[in-house]
Amino acid sequence: MNKKLNPASCAVDYAFQRIGGKYKGRIIWYLNDNNILRYGELRRIVQGITPKMLTQTLRELEEDGLVLRTVHHEVPPRVEYSLTETGKELLPFINHLRVWGEKQMKLEGDTCY
Amino acid sequence: MNKKLNPASCAVDYAFQRIGGKYKGRIIWYLNDNNILRYGELRRIVQGITPKMLTQTLRELEEDGLVLRTVHHEVPPRVEYSLTETGKELLPFINHLRVWGEKQMKLEGDTCY
DNA sequence: CTGCATCCCGTCTGATACTG
DNA sequence: CAGTATCAGACGGGATGCAG
């Protein structure tokens, strides 16, 4: 478990500490269900992320038991990431959030960016 | 709309930008459904928040159209906060997250903090 | 290919004090 | 009561270079 978590004042607080952050939601979502992605694939898919942040975020997700990291000892090395059962339980939530986000983005039109 | 939003790479990214942050989830949750809370009430309920952060977060939620701010011109002043329809649409998801959080907290036991 | 080490900077967050 | 002002520190995040 991620030691950096602060004492949570309630379950909502706790949950946001665990999946908050700039990239965690997207990474979990891209890893949806039985999708297995390699480090390099994630780097391409999660637009704008730097290697450092990708590694750091994946480590936190791993510590938190949401993501499984599998190292294949080959040359060149291959590292695959997938969701744990606990991580998969978050998918419905993120999916609903995504649907909400899409709706909101349409309502905005071009006036925002 | 909050001008600080960055161009979103996808709807998940977008949604997390809008409800991410240290206190937004909790504030929305405490403002559930037809709950109307005053500034001082929120300050007590959202444990650990400072006046500055509470004001700042409420302003962002207001700019983002998730929270409604109603000023009653009285002495002493009274300002009430409630969810907009858009904000209410987020409640099921936050509740889902809360349930997940509660489950996880139980699994952890006392080993974490 | 998959990372880690380092340096650096801007933003976010907090403590404290003050005001209409 | 409902904030604002100011200061300072912590932290997130990016750029670059190196390693197994």
Side-chain angles (χ1 to χ4, degrees):
Chain A
M1 180 56 56
N2 190 344
K3 296 293 189 293
K4 287 188 290 188
L5 253 55
N6 296 316
S9 74
C10 71
V12 174
D13 185 23
Y14 171 88
F16 268 86
Q17 286 195 45
R18 256 178 101 168
I19 69 158
K22 195 168 180 180
Y23 306 104
K24 285 187 180 178
R26 268 192 284 169
I27 289 178
I28 293 171
W29 178 245
Y30 297 146
L31 246 30
N32 61 81
D33 268 322
N34 294 315
N35 221 359
I36 297 174
L37 291 176
R38 300 181 57 176
Y39 180 86
E41 292 176 314
L42 279 168
R43 188 150 63 159
R44 279 189 296 278
I45 297 172
V46 183
Q47 290 182 21
I49 199 170
T50 58
K52 171 186 157 183
M53 288 312 300
L54 179 55
T55 300
Q56 183 178 313
T57 308
L58 287 168
R59 287 292 181 285
E60 288 179 13
L61 289 170
E62 192 191 357
E63 278 184 58
D64 281 352
L66 302 179
V67 157
L68 186 65
R69 180 172 181 264
T70 310
V71 182
H72 300 266
H73 292 284
E74 309 169 356
V75 178
R78 181 159 58 100
V79 182
E80 293 178 334
Y81 295 92
S82 58
L83 290 182
T84 63
E85 287 308 310
T86 305
K88 287 179 185 176
E89 291 173 17
L90 289 169
L91 287 172
F93 163 78
I94 295 179
N95 186 44
H96 288 170
L97 202 56
R98 185 185 59 81
V99 171
W100 177 88
E102 282 179 353
K103 181 178 164 192
Q104 295 300 314
M105 291 172 81
K106 283 180 191 166
L107 289 178
E108 272 179 40
D110 303 348
T111 60
C112 196
Y113 307 138
Chain B
M1 180 57 54
N2 191 342
K3 296 294 191 292
K4 285 187 289 187
L5 254 54
N6 296 315
S9 73
C10 70
V12 174
D13 185 23
Y14 171 88
F16 267 86
Q17 286 195 45
R18 256 178 99 167
I19 68 157
K22 194 168 181 180
Y23 304 104
K24 286 187 179 176
R26 268 192 284 170
I27 290 178
I28 293 172
W29 179 246
Y30 296 147
L31 246 30
N32 62 81
D33 268 322
N34 294 315
N35 219 359
I36 297 174
L37 291 175
R38 300 180 58 172
Y39 181 87
E41 292 176 314
L42 279 167
R43 188 150 62 162
R44 279 189 296 278
I45 298 172
V46 183
Q47 290 183 20
I49 199 168
T50 58
K52 172 186 152 183
M53 288 311 299
L54 179 55
T55 301
Q56 182 178 312
T57 309
L58 286 168
R59 289 289 182 285
E60 288 178 13
L61 290 170
E62 192 191 358
E63 278 184 59
D64 281 352
L66 302 179
V67 157
L68 186 65
R69 180 172 181 265
T70 310
V71 181
H72 300 266
H73 292 283
E74 309 168 356
V75 178
R78 181 159 57 100
V79 182
E80 293 178 334
Y81 295 91
S82 58
L83 291 181
T84 62
E85 287 308 311
T86 305
K88 288 179 184 175
E89 291 174 17
L90 291 169
L91 287 172
F93 318 148
I94 295 181
N95 187 45
H96 183 163
L97 200 57
R98 186 184 60 80
V99 171
W100 177 88
E102 281 180 353
K103 182 178 165 192
Q104 296 300 314
M105 292 173 81
K106 282 179 190 167
L107 289 178
E108 271 180 41
D110 303 349
T111 59
C112 195
Y113 308 139

